[in-house]
Amino acid sequence: MPDDKSDRSPWYWLLLVPVVIPLMTFLYNADEPRLFGFPLFYWLQMAFIALGVATTTLVYRMTRRRP
């Protein structure tokens, strides 16, 4: 009988992306470009949040069990 509760999916590796990308400080160690007057650091942090939400949603949809 196969184990239907296995959580070994290659899709889970994508969850490393929103963790590793913000750790690369050279990406946002600047003041320019500005977006609506906000320096790069602040609006890029919001982009990282959107990246995390999008990645988590994608992994959830690809790994959920269908009846």
Side-chain angles (χ1 to χ4, degrees):
M1 183 163 110
D3 185 14
D4 291 334
K5 296 185 180 191
S6 176
D7 290 333
R8 297 179 184 259
S9 172
W11 286 102
Y12 291 125
W13 286 103
L14 277 178
L15 293 174
L16 286 175
V17 172
V19 173
V20 173
I21 296 294
L23 294 176
M24 298 180 188
T25 56
F26 61 87
L27 292 175
Y28 51 89
N29 189 15
D31 186 47
E32 299 289 330
R34 290 180 172 259
L35 184 65
F36 303 115
F38 291 101
L40 173 73
F41 176 79
Y42 294 108
W43 63 262
L44 199 56
Q45 294 299 313
M46 294 300 162
F48 291 154
I49 292 170
L51 174 68
V53 169
T55 305
T56 304
T57 302
L58 175 67
V59 170
Y60 170 73
R61 289 180 180 259
M62 297 308 290
T63 59
R64 67 181 171 185
R65 292 180 183 89
R66 293 173 181 88

